[in-house]
Amino acid sequence: MGMIETTLDGGVATICLDHFGKRNALAAPLVQEIVDALEDFRRREARVAILRARPGVKVWSAGHDVEELPEGRRDPLGWDDPLRLLIRCVENFPAPVIAMIEGGVWGGACEVVMACDLVIAAPNATFAVTPAKLGVPYNISGMLTFMNGAALRVVKEMAFTAKPISAGRALRADLVNHVVPLDEIEAFTYAMARDIVANAPLSIAVMKEQLRILAGAHPMSPQGFERVQGLRRLVYDSEDYAEGIRAFKEKRKPVYHGR
Ligand code: LCV
């Protein structure tokens, strides 16, 4: 059975996450379905895509599927891992992708939402950046996505505390475009989608690609890159990393020692 539902109507594509049993955790099979749907919508020349969950959910997505993370001594979030693939698909999709959010957005799902072009949130939406909760090293491009999305101080608070922030705080921090009451969010989001569809698709596709390239135009020396990448290894080679993953699987609080 599929884990998403898709529609394409008047140029507006919708992908609805629908794997309640795992709280829409971004496991490889679910990610593959989203990637395939985006590819299909690209072929059918969708003019905008909406990424959403079912109305009424308490969790939009629980983030990376922790069961799929390696137990240690291997980069858990490498270039070809499903989450990275999904984020590149969203960024490279030739039309705007709107994230419509109800409920909690956790970890890797938060990065997926930040990679979307526009974010419309209900008042009950929350956003949590969780690597420090699990003892996981954050991905470099993921870090950049956040730095481009919000002020550095807010990024630091989210990363260091791993606590969810409210929709209101996310709005003030520029992480989301609008916070809209639950009973209006669908009408609001689809009205915005229709505004986009009414405009020139090539102009929009080119601006999206220009903004993607310009937002990533941070010159860095090879030594600087190696240093940042090498720092991640300190984390995934650590005892704390293995403990974080073990504790999640055993449904208990992790005990960290900083080594
Ligand atoms: C696998 C899950 C998950 C899950 N994976 O329902 O960005 S990083 O670096 O942090 C990256 C590595 C990452 O994204 O890590 C994941 C970050 N996510 C989280 O920390 C959230 C983990 N989940 C939760 O705290 C709770 O599940 C929430 C609050 C989202 C929902 O709570 P609720 O009481 O509604 P359950 O906890 O009972 O979850 C239902 C089922 O989904 C599984 C969970 O193990 C449970 O499985 P079983 O029914 O087999 O017991 N599940 C939830 N999240 N990220 N599996």
Side-chain angles (χ1 to χ4, degrees), residues 15 22 31 47 52 62 81 85 91 95 107 112 114 116 146 150 156 158 175 198 204 208 224 231 252:
I15 297 175
K22 285 283 179 191
V31 167
R47 305 271 288 273
R52 60 174 295 177
D81 287 321
L85 182 67
E91 288 174 344
V112 173
M114 292 306 125
C116 290
F146 268 98
K156 286 183 177 178
M158 291 179 80
L175 283 167
I204 291 175
K208 172 167 170 167
L231 283 169
R252 62 170 172 82

Side-chain angles (χ1 to χ4, degrees), residues 66-111:
V66 178
E67 303 285 340
E68 287 183 354
L69 291 173
E71 302 208 337
R73 309 223 167 258
R74 209 199 83 194
D75 187 340
L77 294 168
W79 177 261
D80 284 323
D81 287 321
L83 190 68
R84 308 284 2 127
L85 182 67
L86 173 57
I87 283 163
R88 287 199 298 279
C89 263
V90 168
E91 288 174 344
N92 294 324
F93 190 69
V97 180
I98 306 177
M100 185 181 114
I101 310 294
E102 272 186 53
V105 183
W106 297 85
C110 210
E111 193 194 329

